[in-house]
Amino acid sequence: VLEDDGLLIPEVGLWGEQKYRLVHNYASMFATSMKGKWQCRVYIDLFAGAGFARIEKTSRIVAASPLIALNIRDRFDVYVFCEADETKHNALRARISRLYSNIDARLIEGDANQKVAEILQNIPQNRAGFKVLSFCFADPYSLSNLAFETIRRLASRSMDFLVLVPSGMDANRNVSYYLDTMNTTVDRFLGDFQWRDDWKKVEQKGKSFGHYISDRFDKQMKALGYHYSGIQETVQIRSTEKNLPLYHLAFFSRHKLGEKFWKEAKKYSKGQLELFS
């Protein structure tokens, strides 16, 4: 699919391609349909990575979310990429410089939660005759990597979100660790310090901890004015080999049109794995 260019290429599981397809599908529909309706369309990637990914246990290299978003037909007007790892950040910068030097791509090195003010500064402001609409992809490695306050601050702008909730690969595996009252990881991820009392009630009904975390996060987004139709509208990604639940991909928009695009993105994500031929 892509050739090794000598820069860092992190490995991802085969299941990662389903995530990439969903990013590709929604970003494409969003950018094309909003072209001409908004003066500025912005793509934001909070955990951008290196731009390339190698499928685990294979030699196959694919484009990761930043290059997927850069490769769509009707590109966004502005791209904002944030990455905490210096080596990944430098690899992404080199690839964008080589492949997309004419694109307005703004790279920020550092923790997205600590750099949220800088991210906001790099998103053009609405003004008379200049409307700005953004799409933000948040792909944290674990619950500890994302604070809900970051999402809350970004949501002060006109913005859709696609958020990976590490419900299986983190929440379910570490439930006893997170239930410790001295541990604030889930408090920070949900932006909610009262969740333990609610979990006790839900646990009695047989719901998994990971399922609960995803549902609770979605309800927190609803409190910010985003539509929430239930956890059934999220996409649960499972491991390829053992079919174990890994995470939920949850989409949020304040507009019905965004929900329509998400349904289409899910429908067309079931096609071939390769995004580029």
Side-chain angles (χ1 to χ4, degrees), residues 5-10 48-52 66-67 83 85-99 107 109:
D5 59 0
L7 298 169
L8 175 69
I9 306 177
F52 278 22
L67 266 63
E83 173 53 49
D85 184 273
E86 181 181 6
T87 309
K88 292 179 182 178
H89 170 86
N90 291 340
L92 178 61
R93 182 179 292 280
R95 287 175 175 131
I96 291 175
S97 178
R98 175 168 53 87
L99 299 170
L107 280 76
E109 183 181 346

Side-chain angles (χ1 to χ4, degrees), residues 1-2 26 51 68 71 73 76 117 135 197 246 267:
V1 180
L2 294 174
Y26 188 80
I68 287 169
N71 200 54
R73 185 186 66 189
F76 290 79
F135 169 48
D197 293 336
L246 296 174
K267 182 169 68 175

Side-chain angles (χ1 to χ4, degrees), residues 36-72:
K37 297 178 182 177
W38 295 74
Q39 283 69 43
C40 184
R41 299 153 302 142
V42 183
Y43 175 86
I44 303 152
D45 204 321
L46 298 184
F47 304 89
F52 278 22
R54 191 187 309 275
I55 302 304
E56 192 176 35
K57 298 180 181 179
T58 76
S59 59
R60 193 154 58 92
I61 300 168
V62 299
S65 56
L67 266 63
I68 287 169
L70 284 162
N71 200 54
I72 60 177

Side-chain angles (χ1 to χ4, degrees), residues 1-263:
V1 180
L2 294 174
E3 293 184 1
D4 192 330
D5 59 0
L7 298 169
L8 175 69
I9 306 177
E11 282 196 346
V12 298
L14 181 60
W15 43 264
E17 289 194 276
Q18 186 178 358
K19 171 180 65 179
Y20 293 150
R21 288 199 305 273
L22 286 162
V23 172
H24 173 268
N25 291 351
Y26 188 80
S28 295
M29 285 184 277
F30 179 102
T32 296
S33 63
M34 297 298 107
K35 185 179 181 180
K37 297 178 182 177
W38 295 74
Q39 283 69 43
C40 184
R41 299 153 302 142
V42 183
Y43 175 86
I44 303 152
D45 204 321
L46 298 184
F47 304 89
F52 278 22
R54 191 187 309 275
I55 302 304
E56 192 176 35
K57 298 180 181 179
T58 76
S59 59
R60 193 154 58 92
I61 300 168
V62 299
S65 56
L67 266 63
I68 287 169
L70 284 162
N71 200 54
I72 60 177
R73 185 186 66 189
D74 296 312
R75 291 192 179 104
F76 290 79
D77 301 292
V78 175
Y79 291 84
V80 182
F81 300 114
C82 188
E83 173 53 49
D85 184 273
E86 181 181 6
T87 309
K88 292 179 182 178
H89 170 86
N90 291 340
L92 178 61
R93 182 179 292 280
R95 287 175 175 131
I96 291 175
S97 178
R98 175 168 53 87
L99 299 170
Y100 302 99
S101 59
N102 60 329
I103 302 300
D104 187 351
R106 307 173 184 189
L107 280 76
I108 299 170
E109 183 181 346
D111 184 328
N113 303 290
Q114 298 175 9
K115 295 287 185 175
V116 65
E118 188 174 346
I119 293 169
L120 285 166
Q121 288 171 2
N122 278 279
I123 302 171
Q125 291 269 16
N126 277 308
R127 58 181 185 270
F130 189 81
K131 297 192 301 178
V132 181
L133 182 64
S134 302
F135 169 48
C136 177
F137 178 46
D139 184 16
Y141 308 106
S142 65
L143 295 173
S144 63
N145 292 129
L146 180 63
F148 193 79
E149 182 60 25
T150 299
I151 299 295
R152 191 194 311 276
R153 291 179 65 181
L154 291 172
S156 64
R157 305 289 184 90
S158 296
M159 191 175 300
D160 289 354
F161 289 91
L162 181 59
V163 181
L164 182 150
V165 179
S167 51
M169 61 187 185
D170 185 7
N172 275 342
R173 293 180 184 179
N174 299 295
V175 56
S176 59
Y177 176 66
Y178 292 139
L179 285 173
D180 186 331
T181 55
M182 298 299 291
N183 188 298
T184 60
T185 300
V186 175
D187 308 47
R188 182 171 175 266
F189 180 79
L190 295 176
D192 178 4
F193 296 92
Q194 307 299 322
W195 64 269
R196 287 179 179 82
D197 293 336
D198 186 54
W199 162 244
K200 290 177 183 177
K201 301 173 187 176
V202 171
E203 185 181 21
Q204 295 174 358
K205 299 178 182 179
K207 183 181 289 188
S208 74
F209 186 63
H211 187 105
Y212 167 76
I213 292 297
S214 182
D215 190 53
R216 188 80 171 184
F217 183 92
D218 297 348
K219 289 176 179 175
Q220 287 291 87
M221 292 297 291
K222 184 177 181 180
L224 297 181
Y226 285 86
H227 294 295
Y228 175 55
S229 302
I231 198 169
Q232 70 276 3
E233 293 301 326
T234 66
V235 174
Q236 187 178 54
I237 306 294
R238 292 178 171 272
S239 64
T240 307
E241 293 182 355
K242 298 182 179 180
N243 198 36
L244 298 173
L246 296 174
Y247 54 82
H248 286 83
L249 271 175
F251 171 78
F252 305 97
S253 178
R254 291 185 173 114
H255 303 281
K256 289 292 184 181
L257 186 58
E259 291 186 271
K260 178 183 177 182
F261 290 161
W262 177 237
K263 290 181 185 296

